[in-house]
Amino acid sequence: MDADVTDSAGTPADPDHPAGETPQGRSQEEPGATDSQDEPEPVPEDDTSQDSGDEDKGEDKGEDKHDAADAPRVKDQAADTPGVQTWAGHPKDGSASPRKRPWLRWAALGASFLVMISAGAGWWLYKKLDGNITTDTSAAAELKVYEKERPTPVVMDAQNILLIGSDSRSGDNKKYGRDDGGSQRSDTTILLHLAADRKSATAVSLPRDLMVEVPKCRTGDDKETREQFTQFNSAFELGGTACTIRTVERLTGIRIDHHMVVDFNGFKDMVDAVDGVEICLKEPIDDKDARLELPAGRQTLNGEEALGYVRARKTLGDGSDTERMERQQKFLGALVNKMQSNGVLLNPTRLYPVLDAATKSLTTDPGLNSLRDLYDLVRSMRDVPTEQVQFLTVPRQPYRQNTNRDELVEPDASELFKQLREDKPVAVVPADELKEKEKEKAQDEKPDDTGSDSESPTPTPTYSGSSAADDLCKQ
């Protein structure tokens, strides 16, 4: 037996003397010899090594740590003697040998592995959603050129976002109608105002046939159009998003902070992501142009059916664009209501499919082109009560020179724009209820009114519209 072999479980060597060297001041003796104070006491042969360790546990507490560290690094001959305790069998600090608990190491490794996998999956999902978003840098560049003519923000913490529904029939959207070479018009345009305190959200639809002043805009081939009085949706066709934003700002005096352009497929996939949206139909629908055939009554529409429902025009109601906008508003309200009532916004597992569907078909300005930006926006809206998520159409009437077009009703439209610009509240009620209120107001007014009401608070302007809390089957 070699004298220089160290005990595999013995006390660590003196840090000042590497293993195999004899410490200074200690005589070299025969292998197995130790100082008398370090020699382990023999135990009866019928005792087990485990019992010996338990008995010596209390005695070892009083041993000098330095002496234990300075023990000779030689194999104890007593290791070959049955019933004799050795340094190899002596537990450190009175604890069990690490070899007896390997499951702790495996548990730690397993937990670390799961954390790494979760972090990697989370990062992959984040990058995927983030990469879905298309950034519109050209609109931002053009708006910067016309910065001097744009309105200044009045309330800094309020947000005004222009939502534009693309009417392109090229690519994946060609099955919904004639392909006109890929040109685009704004099929639906909504001005979304988020109050500074985030206690309300007001979505105002702008009719595509509304007659407005469209400013000079730059086209895709870097040409400049002339300023003209024409229907609203031509601004998108002539100069894209930037031209539409400048037209809205000129019309309303409201500074647009951000914009989003969404195509048909994005809307359809979002409806599917929340497992459909419930509506009620008073009459059955059979519209071949909208690819829609539905029975009367309460039913849940999937994405394909929902898209046909909000786009149908000729076969529903009076066939006007006005009625179609009201139908779109109510459906969007039902979609928002379902997302909030089902906890989609607070459940990452359910929110991911919605975000994936939305981001795939979303084009935004650089200020909203990341998942973090969109998440902050959604998070700021999740506590808005559904009854305070309001939808309305800007006050308008048939254009006097062409009844197939619309014009603003004044001073109602200007009053609405002023309220939003200054972040003041507006109220919406169903159209028939609004008519009743207007009749009551006209009857209460007297020619000899002394103006006593001038000291009373100014009433909140009320418009025809709906909220996300409305039940489509109770109207």
Side-chain angles (χ1 to χ4, degrees), residues 343-361:
V344 175
L345 298 180
L346 300 177
N347 187 336
T349 303
R350 302 200 63 188
L351 180 60
Y352 173 78
V354 178
L355 290 176
D356 187 42
T359 53
K360 281 180 180 177
S361 58

Side-chain angles (χ1 to χ4, degrees), residues 277-279 329-339 391 467-468 470 472:
V277 175
E278 187 179 69
I279 65 167
Q329 293 166 6
K330 292 178 180 179
F331 188 89
L332 289 175
L335 176 60
V336 171
N337 192 9
K338 183 164 186 180
M339 291 179 66
F391 298 87
S467 76
D470 294 343
L472 298 184

Side-chain angles (χ1 to χ4, degrees), residues 5-318:
V5 179
T6 59
D7 193 317
S8 61
T11 306
D14 189 334
D16 297 330
H17 305 284
E21 295 182 4
T22 304
Q24 295 181 1
R26 188 181 297 274
S27 61
Q28 295 183 357
E29 301 180 6
E30 293 181 4
T34 61
D35 291 342
S36 59
Q37 63 181 3
D38 294 327
E39 182 176 353
E41 296 180 4
V43 296
E45 293 183 1
D46 56 347
D47 289 345
T48 62
S49 59
Q50 180 63 38
D51 294 337
S52 300
D54 294 338
E55 292 174 0
D56 292 339
K57 186 182 301 182
E59 297 177 5
D60 290 341
K61 293 181 180 178
E63 291 182 1
D64 184 74
K65 295 181 180 179
H66 179 71
D67 292 339
D70 290 341
R73 302 294 295 167
V74 295
K75 186 171 183 179
D76 195 340
Q77 289 179 344
D80 297 331
T81 305
V84 178
Q85 184 183 16
T86 66
W87 285 107
H90 189 82
K92 298 180 181 180
D93 300 328
S95 61
S97 172
R99 290 176 297 178
K100 296 182 180 180
R101 291 186 294 178
W103 62 271
L104 289 177
R105 295 179 181 177
W106 284 109
L109 289 173
S112 301
F113 180 75
L114 289 176
V115 170
M116 292 176 61
I117 291 296
S118 299
W123 177 249
W124 181 85
L125 291 175
Y126 178 89
K127 295 298 292 183
K128 180 180 183 298
L129 293 175
D130 209 48
N132 286 345
I133 305 171
T134 302
T135 305
D136 183 2
T137 56
S138 60
E142 183 172 350
L143 291 174
K144 189 174 182 180
V145 173
Y146 296 97
E147 178 62 35
K148 292 184 178 180
E149 69 179 44
R150 300 184 65 193
T152 57
V154 177
V155 181
M156 300 303 295
D157 291 333
Q159 290 281 303
N160 295 294
I161 304 172
L162 196 64
L163 308 177
I164 303 173
S166 169
D167 195 27
S168 171
R169 300 304 168 86
S170 61
D172 292 338
N173 293 330
K174 62 184 179 181
K175 65 181 179 180
Y176 297 107
R178 175 179 54 85
D179 183 4
D180 55 5
S183 64
Q184 291 184 323
R185 292 188 181 184
S186 52
D187 181 67
T188 300
T189 303
I190 297 175
L191 174 59
L192 176 63
H193 174 78
L194 304 180
D197 60 7
R198 295 302 189 268
K199 292 183 179 180
S200 66
T202 304
V204 181
S205 294
L206 301 173
R208 63 181 187 177
D209 294 333
L210 183 68
M211 299 301 293
V212 297
E213 288 284 350
V214 177
K216 292 186 296 184
C217 297
R218 195 168 298 279
T219 63
D221 54 0
D222 204 27
K223 296 181 180 179
E224 191 173 66
T225 64
R226 61 181 178 84
E227 183 173 329
Q228 53 191 299
F229 184 72
T230 183
Q231 65 188 72
F232 173 72
N233 69 337
S234 63
F236 194 76
E237 182 182 15
L238 292 172
T241 303
C243 190
T244 302
I245 291 174
R246 293 176 56 221
T247 300
V248 172
E249 290 183 339
R250 175 176 289 196
L251 178 70
T252 65
I254 298 173
R255 171 80 173 214
I256 303 301
D257 300 299
H258 301 289
H259 72 268
M260 298 182 185
V261 180
V262 185
D263 69 15
F264 292 156
N265 285 307
F267 173 82
K268 180 179 66 176
D269 293 342
M270 285 183 66
V271 173
D272 285 333
V274 297
D275 299 326
V277 175
E278 187 179 69
I279 65 167
C280 275
L281 297 176
K282 296 179 179 180
E283 299 177 354
I285 298 176
D286 186 6
D287 190 325
K288 292 181 175 58
D289 291 337
R291 304 167 63 94
L292 187 65
E293 184 175 354
L294 298 172
R298 182 187 294 266
Q299 55 202 292
T300 299
L301 303 186
N302 60 30
E304 189 78 22
E305 294 167 336
L307 184 57
Y309 178 72
V310 299
R311 299 205 73 255
R313 179 173 178 175
K314 297 179 181 179
T315 59
L316 294 182
D318 58 9

